[in-house]
Amino acid sequence: MSAPEIWFRRYARTDRPRLRLVCFPHAGGSAQLFHGWPARLPADIEVLAVRYPGRQERLSEPCVESMDELVGRISEALTPYRDLPLVFFGHSMGAAVAYEVAARLEAGEVAARLEAGPVLVMLSGRNAPHRTPRTALHRAADEVLVAGVSRLGTLGGDPYAVPELRELLLPVLRSDYRLIETYHPENPVRLRAPVVAYQGDRDYGCSREQVLAWRELTTGGFALRSFPGDHFYLAPREAELTADIAGRLADIPSGLTI
């Protein structure tokens, strides 16, 4: 079992943060997606960007291709960080992972709340799991997989057009797609934490109806916010998105304890 700290890129701007925001990247993505967020959020918010195996600092490790395994390992790695309230934000595949980790932590709660789940779960660019159409891009030829991903949009540039980067990134992308495309929960649980869903208004992979279905998976309240853009709206709209998140985090009582 790897040490907990390897799982997170930690951004702490104060020795006494009020809460921790745990951010889960998309398929093929990395913690780098969130590198600009800490400067845009209040200083009392500590950001933990999840570092999946198989990329960047964990390049030598095999990717995890099972949702259950990934969720179990992240849930365990979060143990030392549960001394403060947790808030989750996940994008695309990361939204499904964030939801499942939240469900795992809630199921493990004890009376003394020493293992409390997140107080808020924010899910971006992902249909609710019980309303997600089945796909099998992970089984397709390289060109088909890359083309399918490219249709969603871009974070800038085309790394798959560079042979050296393509060779490095494609196995990670395929592994992540295998994980998310084989994830079909038969009876998704209802979280106790409130849920906020985000989407780009031109994200062809997410219909408003299927994103709204996240409200069926919480008993704690639901909100939907749409931004202009495609699947990767959160890059060009980073300032607006983080401002919205900061406003929601400000509503979490500073005296909350777990």
Side-chain angles (χ1 to χ4, degrees):
M1 182 68 66
S2 53
E5 58 268 19
I6 194 62
W7 281 93
F8 308 105
R9 184 175 295 173
R10 185 180 182 189
Y11 301 92
R13 297 169 61 198
T14 175
D15 292 335
R16 302 186 66 181
R18 182 169 62 90
L19 58 82
R20 292 190 171 101
L21 174 62
V22 186
C23 299
F24 300 75
H26 55 286
S30 69
Q32 186 67 17
L33 178 68
F34 304 104
H35 78 281
W37 285 34
R40 295 185 182 276
L41 294 170
D44 62 356
I45 307 301
E46 182 175 290
V47 175
L48 300 179
V50 177
R51 301 193 289 196
Y52 303 137
R55 63 215 77 189
Q56 293 191 320
E57 300 94 334
R58 308 185 69 180
L59 185 61
S60 63
E61 300 178 50
C63 295
V64 178
E65 297 183 349
S66 159
M67 178 67 81
D68 187 63
E69 179 185 350
L70 184 61
V71 167
R73 293 176 69 182
I74 293 174
S75 299
E76 180 67 23
L78 279 170
T79 300
Y81 302 99
R82 295 185 204 171
D83 57 320
L84 291 176
L86 299 178
V87 174
F88 287 176
F89 178 94
H91 180 64
S92 195
M93 180 188 84
V97 179
Y99 160 74
E100 288 291 344
V101 173
R104 182 75 60 95
L105 295 187
E106 285 192 352
E109 283 187 336
V110 295
R113 293 182 59 80
L114 294 178
E115 297 181 358
V119 297
L120 176 64
V121 178
M122 298 178 286
L123 306 171
S124 167
R126 185 76 188 169
N127 298 322
H130 60 306
R131 299 295 300 274
T132 300
R134 297 200 177 199
T135 57
L137 276 175
H138 69 279
R139 298 178 181 171
D142 290 350
E143 294 73 15
V144 177
L145 173 59
V146 171
V149 173
S150 298
R151 285 184 60 202
L152 293 173
T154 177
L155 288 169
D158 182 7
Y160 297 102
V162 180
E164 294 81 3
L165 289 177
R166 181 187 178 98
E167 182 179 357
L168 187 66
L169 298 175
L170 194 55
V172 173
L173 181 67
R174 187 176 296 280
S175 291
D176 285 356
Y177 262 74
R178 183 174 293 108
L179 181 150
I180 196 60
E181 289 185 323
T182 57
Y183 165 67
H184 305 296
E186 294 183 3
N187 297 296
V189 303
R190 300 183 74 186
L191 300 178
R192 292 192 291 278
V195 169
V196 179
Y198 294 99
Q199 70 173 132
D201 61 6
R202 298 191 303 277
D203 185 349
Y204 86 92
C206 292
S207 75
R208 183 178 178 85
E209 179 183 4
Q210 291 165 334
V211 173
L212 277 170
W214 280 112
R215 65 186 170 189
E216 301 168 14
L217 300 182
T218 176
T219 62
F222 176 81
L224 172 65
R225 177 71 193 275
S226 178
F227 289 92
D230 58 25
H231 187 66
F232 293 107
Y233 75 91
L234 70 174
R237 298 292 173 178
E238 182 175 278
E240 297 98 316
L241 175 60
T242 52
D244 185 271
I245 291 171
R248 298 180 191 278
L249 299 186
D251 292 335
I252 297 175
S254 59
L256 182 68
T257 58
I258 60 175

